[in-house]
Amino acid sequence: MSDSLAAMELAFERRGSGAPLILVHGIGHHWQGWLPVLDRLAAARTVIAVDLPGFGVSPELPPDIPYTAESLADAVESFCARLGIREPAVAGNSLGGYVALELASRGVVRSAVALSPISFWSRAELLYCQALLRAMRASARSLPLERLDNRYVRTVAAGLLVAHPSRLDPAALTAATQALGSAPGFDETLESFAGLMPPAPPKTPITVAWGEHDRLLPRRQAVRAARWSGQRVKLLKGCGHVPMSDDPELVARVILEAA
């Protein structure tokens, strides 16, 4: 593990008490994406939601370390060591879902929950995902934020990621749009997806769950994730790619049952 990674101080939010649970967001997002479920989880666990390097308000990776899903997993592992947290449970969404599975493959977490994790795509699905994310990034950088006050604009802006845009808090969508547009780690991380394969087989228990209405990583990818994991993938009914706002109670239950 790089000494420069071990010295990094990442932004995070800590709530609750009990066994530690680390939450990891997706590409272009920030720890606040977990707010709809945070207090539900914190009622039973010490919950630590972290901003990945180059996302949210965390610092960028050191210049000698490339942005890849694996290096971001390294950063989360170092972050836990820095806080003195040994073998926490971890849950992640999208890119964060891959990070959770990667940490399970290393055997450094007690359990892992992956919500619509990346890396189970076909070549065509990968290109589709990258194209959509680039378009969303461009829109986030060019769209006047005051236009998000309009319900129709909010629906269009969030409809690829959530099944129920109306359930999103407008202020949260504005903050997420700013995070997507400003994340310095976004472009290099997205390019690195081209060479990404599923992690090695996990050494600790895992749960994979997929949004029924995931439009970014269509749920047929869950079939490949099931083959990889050797177990049935849970279907999050009524949920999209980022399910926390679609059904906070369901998502919290899936995480707590596994954590």
Side-chain angles (χ1 to χ4, degrees), residues 17-216:
S17 60
L21 168 62
I22 309 298
L23 301 177
V24 189
H25 61 76
I27 186 170
H29 218 180
H30 53 179
W31 74 257
Q32 288 89 341
W34 294 98
L35 277 172
V37 299
L38 208 56
D39 287 336
R40 285 177 171 85
L41 298 174
R45 301 286 189 274
T46 296
V47 182
I48 301 171
V50 62
D51 276 344
L52 291 170
F55 297 93
V57 296
S58 281
E60 296 181 54
L61 283 172
D64 60 320
I65 298 178
Y67 279 93
T68 65
E70 291 87 352
S71 66
L72 294 174
D74 291 343
V76 173
E77 186 177 351
S78 291
F79 167 78
C80 291
R82 184 180 177 85
L83 293 186
I85 300 171
R86 292 177 54 83
E87 296 188 348
V90 61
N93 174 225
S94 195
L95 168 62
Y98 178 94
V99 168
L101 295 177
E102 171 64 20
L103 295 176
S105 80
R106 300 178 186 184
V108 297
V109 294
R110 186 176 74 252
S111 63
V113 177
L115 308 175
S116 293
I118 63 172
S119 80
F120 295 101
W121 40 43
S122 67
R123 176 66 177 170
E125 290 164 349
L126 163 64
L127 295 175
Y128 164 83
C129 171
Q130 288 179 308
L132 278 185
L133 287 170
R134 287 191 192 99
M136 292 176 63
R137 162 88 153 178
S139 176
R141 300 180 107 174
S142 62
L143 181 71
L145 292 176
E146 60 271 14
R147 291 195 63 195
L148 291 173
D149 292 335
N150 181 286
R151 180 181 296 180
Y152 173 76
V153 175
R154 287 202 303 272
T155 298
V156 172
L160 284 171
L161 296 181
V162 298
H164 303 283
S166 62
R167 297 178 189 174
L168 276 173
D169 176 67
L173 179 57
T174 297
T177 301
Q178 290 176 305
L180 173 59
S182 63
F186 181 91
D187 293 327
E188 190 178 342
T189 302
L190 185 62
E191 288 303 315
S192 78
F193 285 4
L196 190 63
M197 300 291 288
K203 296 177 181 175
T204 51
I206 64 164
T207 298
V208 180
W210 222 279
E212 178 185 26
H213 303 299
D214 195 325
R215 298 182 182 97
L216 183 66

